[in-house]
Amino acid sequence: MNLMFAAGTSSGTLPLQRDFVLDSQLGRFAPFGVLRTADPREFTGDRFAMISAEHNFRSVPFLMLGIPFLYKSGIEFLADATAAQSWLNGNSMTNGWYYEAGIGIGKIFGIIRADVTYRISNPNDVFFTIG
C-alpha cells in the first residue's frame, strides 16, 4: 500500500504566484499522488492538506476470477482514494473536504496504467486517466 500525506501553510499576505496549488491531472495524465478528477489549478490557497492511498492487488483478483490471460500476463488491479482541502484566508476553497476514489489496471503492455476515478465531491463525475 502506498500512502502520501502532504500539507502546507503560509503566513502574511502572499502574491498569487506564491499560493499553494493542489496537484491535479494534466491532460488526462495522472500519476499517484495527484487529484485525478480536478482541473489544473482548480484548488489553490495559503494552506492545504491532502492524503492519498493506493493499494496494488497485483494479479490476485484475476486469479480469483479465473481469468488466466490477465494474471499470466502480469496485469495489475489497483484501487485508490484521495481526500484534500485547501484554504485561502481561512475560507475553504474546496467547500469542505474534497474526495475521489477509483480503480485502475496497471502494467498494460508492461508500462501503461489506466484509471477510472469517481469525483465524490460536487460536481460529481467520472474521469478516465493514464498514469
Side-chain angles (χ1 to χ4, degrees):
M1 174 171 262
N2 293 325
L3 288 173
M4 185 197 78
F5 178 74
T9 187
S10 60
S11 61
T13 303
L14 299 175
L16 288 175
Q17 63 269 29
R18 296 290 183 193
D19 282 347
F20 293 107
V21 177
L22 295 177
D23 290 332
S24 61
Q25 53 89 10
L26 180 61
R28 298 299 178 220
F29 173 74
F32 172 69
V34 304
L35 299 175
R36 289 187 166 104
T37 63
D39 292 327
R41 302 194 57 81
E42 183 174 351
F43 301 120
T44 63
D46 54 16
R47 292 184 301 139
F48 81 99
M50 183 166 98
I51 186 165
S52 294
E54 175 181 273
H55 185 70
N56 187 338
F57 292 94
R58 307 277 178 219
S59 58
V60 173
F62 306 125
L63 181 63
M64 292 173 57
L65 293 171
I67 307 172
F69 167 74
L70 292 177
Y71 68 78
K72 286 180 181 175
S73 63
I75 302 283
E76 298 176 338
F77 179 79
L78 303 104
D80 63 84
T82 300
Q85 187 165 181
S86 66
W87 298 268
L88 182 61
N89 300 322
N91 298 317
S92 176
M93 302 305 291
T94 51
N95 296 320
W97 283 93
Y98 170 90
Y99 300 102
E100 64 183 25
I103 57 172
I105 302 293
K107 291 201 175 174
I108 302 168
F109 304 118
I111 57 170
I112 298 173
R113 169 183 172 158
D115 294 284
V116 176
T117 307
Y118 178 68
R119 182 174 176 153
I120 299 167
S121 301
N122 283 330
N124 304 63
D125 207 350
V126 176
F127 288 78
F128 175 78
T129 55
I130 301 291

